[in-house]
Amino acid sequence: MATGKLYFLRSCPGLFYLHLLLIAVLVIFLVVRELVFHWEDRRFHRQKWYPPLLSSIVCGGASAFAWQSFTRRYPSTAMKAAFWLSPILTVAVSFLLISFGFPGSLAAGFLSLIFAVIQSLYGLWVNPRVDYSARIFSYSISSSSSSSSTTSFVILSIFTGIVYASFLVAGIGEATAMGAEIDFVFILVILLSLAWTMQVIKNISHVTMGRIAFMKLMSGIDFKPQVALRNAIRHSMGSICIGSILVPVFGTIRDSARAVNLLGGDTDEFMFSCTHCFSNIASNLVMHGNRWGFILVGACNMGFVQSSGRTWDLFRRTGIVPVINYDLTSSFCFLSGVAVGAICTIVAGSWTLVIHKSYATEVSIYAFLIGYFISRIAMVWPQACVSAYYVTYAEGPQIDDFDSTIIQDCINWIQRHNLA
């Protein structure tokens, strides 16, 4: 059984690289097909489709890096600002989509408006937790503060995401130009590749930054980003590729279970039974895949499933699972991604609305997705720092100046208010 797991772990990077090769072949095929057979087709105006989308991608990269830099310098302010900035930008996107006047854009606009309301209500609900999250956010980032080489690594990660997204946009554009049924399948495949590859880029950064932050917090050792990155690519690509699939899926299930728990309550016996069953499934899944596992993947070269299990077991034994649930770092990173995605949508959608209205809806949606993923790559640095802080606390730090009172104060507050 262990041999089978090891073989699967070692084969995952090969599958990922094979997928990259096949996607590259597909994109090149789509571009060459249009160049040879359909370049003179006037139904699709490339000069009106590509510039807005490509410009929004560059704008997204710049916005993501600027927001990440602001977060590093003013973490507490950034944490609080994200919970009102994201809903405002989402409302702006919804009005823009509605203004297009197409059935698809109207549906997307109303969904965006509902999403903005949900974000606003969520921000009001979690407002009491913002101060604690901002406090731990500030300490984690300042305690594992980095060198200029780490900043260069972040820029490289964002640039890689921009280049890959721009390459895929070429395939999406040429498939859109052809417009056959099979081309819609090609677009879906390309978007799935975009999601997985962006997750892999993000998690390479997570493992790299997590190792740097963990070694700093645990032992006071300054680890070079170049060494951490090389080790991540050489020894942990299998775990990163697996984790890039499992973490979004398991995380969504876990968050859904927590939401159902809150809504279900214990007034109805059948509902209580269903929510309890769902919670048990989510609890078992998180043991086999969670984002905190990436820290030990980088620090100890563990397999992803093994490191996730060990990390969650440490959290349970030290009693900080309620604190993990109380923290808003993941919500902050998600809302940051939504905000940058909304900026990309506003840039691409407004431009397309002026020059060729019929392209506006699809270009806006593509811009949002790409902007969201690029932002998540940029925000993985502070997220990795916070994850490393929790893992260090659970492992037991080996330096005297590690501040464990932040978590202890939160545990005491949760126990006093029966929030566990």
Side-chain angles (χ1 to χ4, degrees):
M1 186 70 174
T3 304
K5 289 181 179 179
L6 184 61
Y7 174 77
F8 179 72
L9 194 64
R10 289 177 176 174
S11 66
C12 261
L15 291 174
F16 176 72
Y17 295 136
L18 177 62
H19 133 267
L20 288 181
L21 176 62
L22 293 176
I23 287 295
V25 170
L26 174 60
V27 171
I28 292 170
F29 162 75
L30 292 172
V31 172
V32 171
R33 182 189 65 175
E34 290 302 306
L35 285 172
V36 174
F37 298 107
H38 301 283
W39 187 257
E40 298 300 326
D41 190 348
R42 298 300 180 186
R43 291 175 299 176
F44 184 74
H45 303 278
R46 290 169 179 81
Q47 73 278 12
K48 297 180 180 179
W49 197 93
Y50 284 112
L53 186 51
L54 293 175
S55 298
S56 73
I57 293 173
V58 175
C59 179
S63 301
F65 179 72
W67 180 245
Q68 192 257 14
S69 300
F70 180 81
T71 300
R72 286 196 346 258
R73 287 172 175 79
Y74 310 101
S76 181
T77 303
M79 170 68 74
K80 296 172 182 177
F83 286 89
W84 58 261
L85 184 62
S86 179
I88 290 174
L89 289 172
T90 305
V91 169
V93 168
S94 68
F95 289 154
L96 178 65
L97 291 171
I98 291 171
S99 71
F100 296 160
F102 301 110
S105 67
L106 289 173
F110 284 117
L111 288 175
S112 299
L113 193 58
I114 293 171
F115 182 46
V117 172
I118 292 172
Q119 290 180 67
S120 301
L121 293 175
Y122 177 75
L124 292 173
W125 179 57
V126 301
N127 188 59
R129 296 153 56 181
V130 171
D131 287 338
Y132 163 75
S133 301
R135 184 183 172 195
I136 201 166
F137 203 56
S138 301
Y139 177 79
S140 301
I141 294 174
S142 61
S143 298
S144 50
S145 58
S146 56
S147 61
S148 58
S149 58
T150 310
T151 303
S152 301
F153 173 74
V154 173
I155 295 173
L156 177 62
S157 300
I158 295 173
F159 180 74
T160 303
I162 290 173
V163 170
Y164 186 72
S166 301
F167 175 69
L168 293 190
V169 161
I172 294 173
E174 299 311 318
T176 302
M178 187 66 178
E181 289 186 7
I182 189 64
D183 289 292
F184 292 109
V185 176
F186 290 154
I187 291 173
L188 179 60
V189 170
I190 291 173
L191 290 176
L192 290 174
S193 172
L194 173 71
W196 188 25
T197 305
M198 290 297 202
Q199 286 288 335
V200 169
I201 295 172
K202 177 175 81 76
N203 290 326
I204 288 173
S205 300
H206 200 146
V207 169
T208 302
M209 299 299 180
R211 181 171 190 168
I212 295 170
F214 180 79
M215 297 302 291
K216 180 73 173 179
L217 291 167
M218 190 74 176
S219 308
I221 298 173
D222 289 316
F223 213 80
K224 292 184 177 180
Q226 299 91 330
V227 177
L229 175 61
R230 185 168 61 247
N231 288 342
I233 293 175
R234 284 184 178 178
H235 305 297
S236 303
M237 274 303 292
S239 294
I240 291 169
C241 292
I242 293 173
S244 298
I245 297 173
L246 296 184
V247 169
V249 175
F250 291 176
T252 301
I253 294 173
R254 180 171 178 265
D255 292 341
S256 300
R258 291 175 62 195
V260 169
N261 247 348
L262 289 171
L263 296 174
D266 55 0
T267 55
D268 183 88
E269 186 175 346
F270 175 74
M271 190 66 178
F272 176 77
S273 176
C274 291
T275 55
H276 183 68
C277 179
F278 193 18
S279 296
N280 285 339
I281 293 172
S283 298
N284 289 328
L285 289 177
V286 78
M287 284 288 295
H288 295 87
N290 57 73
R291 66 178 180 275
W292 301 276
F294 284 120
I295 303 302
L296 295 185
V297 167
C300 306
N301 291 328
M302 285 186 178
F304 177 71
V305 175
Q306 180 188 4
S307 64
S308 296
R310 176 179 170 179
T311 302
W312 201 252
D313 185 57
L314 285 170
F315 289 168
R316 281 179 170 173
R317 282 195 280 131
T318 51
I320 65 170
V321 172
V323 180
I324 295 290
N325 294 333
Y326 193 77
D327 184 37
L328 296 175
T329 300
S330 61
S331 299
F332 165 78
C333 293
F334 172 75
L335 292 176
S336 297
V338 171
V340 173
I343 292 172
C344 293
T345 300
I346 292 169
V347 171
S350 302
W351 188 348
T352 313
L353 179 62
V354 172
I355 62 174
H356 203 292
K357 186 176 179 180
S358 62
Y359 296 156
T361 304
E362 61 191 71
V363 168
S364 298
I365 292 172
Y366 296 144
F368 176 82
L369 292 174
I370 294 171
Y372 172 81
F373 285 125
I374 290 175
S375 175
R376 294 309 302 268
I377 291 173
M379 296 310 298
V380 78
W381 181 352
Q383 188 172 29
C385 291
V386 174
S387 297
Y389 175 83
Y390 283 120
V391 176
T392 303
Y393 177 89
E395 289 274 9
Q398 299 171 1
I399 56 175
D400 295 331
D401 59 348
F402 181 85
D403 186 3
S404 61
T405 59
I406 303 174
I407 291 181
Q408 287 295 334
D409 290 346
C410 185
I411 291 174
N412 294 336
W413 193 91
I414 290 173
Q415 290 175 345
R416 283 200 306 270
H417 293 81
N418 296 318
L419 297 177

